[in-house]
């Protein structure tokens, strides 16, 4: 039931993953999820996620990722964490320290 989704940061793939997550959340198959994406707020897939989720967290700074070889990869832009579910207080408590949380 609970999902953490970090889709590939390729527009067409991100859209497919996000559409599937939104459909699964709306149907009740996924009652709660956190979606991590880059903060491309001008894209259709970002807006789709925003309309389907309840809260978002814009990270203060960029999240580092690791390559399979263990090297740190420096992202080129910031990130958004979308929360899908009804436990808003818990999301705010757990992720409030990572950045600005907004209700949609």
């Amino acid at each position: 039931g609970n999902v953490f989704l970090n889709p590939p940061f390729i527009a067409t793939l991100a859209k497919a993953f996000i559409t599937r997550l939104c459909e699964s959340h709306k149907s009740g198959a996924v009652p709660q999820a956190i979606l991590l994406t880059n903060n491309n707020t001008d894209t259709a897939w970002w807006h789709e996620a925003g309309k389907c989720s309840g809260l978002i967290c814009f990270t203060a700074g960029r999240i580092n990722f690791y390559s399979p070889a263990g090297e740190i990869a420096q992202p080129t832009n910031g990130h958004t964490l979308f929360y899908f579910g009804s436990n808003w207080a818990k999301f705010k408590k757990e992720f409030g320290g990572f950045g600005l949380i907004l209700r949609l």
Side-chain angles (χ1 to χ4, degrees):
N2 294 329
V3 171
F4 177 83
L5 177 59
N6 178 16
F9 290 176
I10 299 167
T12 55
L13 292 176
K15 179 168 179 26
F17 277 87
I18 291 165
T19 297
R20 175 72 183 267
L21 175 60
C22 287
E23 290 170 353
S24 297
H25 178 65
K26 288 175 186 174
S27 75
V30 174
Q32 187 169 250
I34 294 174
L35 168 66
L36 170 63
T37 70
N38 52 25
N39 60 7
N40 289 359
T41 59
D42 61 329
T43 61
W45 57 258
W46 194 97
H47 282 261
E48 181 179 6
K51 289 175 185 173
C52 189
S53 67
L55 297 174
I56 60 170
C57 175
F58 286 109
T59 60
R62 298 175 182 163
I63 298 173
N64 289 327
F65 294 89
Y66 293 89
S67 73
E71 299 167 345
I72 295 176
Q74 298 291 326
T76 57
N77 51 332
H79 298 91
T80 304
L81 291 155
F82 296 86
Y83 175 67
F84 300 75
S86 59
N87 199 347
W88 291 8
K90 177 89 170 167
F91 180 80
K92 288 178 182 179
K93 179 183 174 193
E94 297 298 327
F95 290 92
F98 291 101
L100 176 66
I101 295 183
L102 301 172
R103 180 178 172 186
L104 300 171

